[in-house]
Amino acid sequence: LSWTSYGGMLASWLRMKYPSAVVGAIAGSAPIWGFPLTDVPLDSSAVATTRSFTTVGGAGSDRCADNLLSAWSLMDVIGTTDEGREFL
């Protein structure tokens, strides 16, 4: 199964609930660990996205996650202006 956003969350949850029935699920841009009804902090999508770029998430090394983690604060600053949001 492969979907993005909400469809990706459904595919991933199906895989987690019935692992013997679903061989795999790819959830591009789906915050499966950051769904609002699970009492996860609202900013947790950044944590979930960063985690996906670690060796646990399938990346070749944790260096990717370190670079992405550093980028979040920069994106916060850039996103404070109209021009910055347009750039992002």
Side-chain angles (χ1 to χ4, degrees), residues 48-81:
T49 301
T50 301
R51 185 184 311 135
S52 70
F53 286 92
T54 65
T55 52
V56 173
S61 78
D62 287 337
R63 198 164 161 199
C64 246
D66 294 338
N67 290 337
L68 185 59
L69 190 58
S70 298
W72 289 122
S73 59
L74 179 60
M75 288 190 288
D76 281 343
V77 171
I78 292 172
T80 59
T81 65

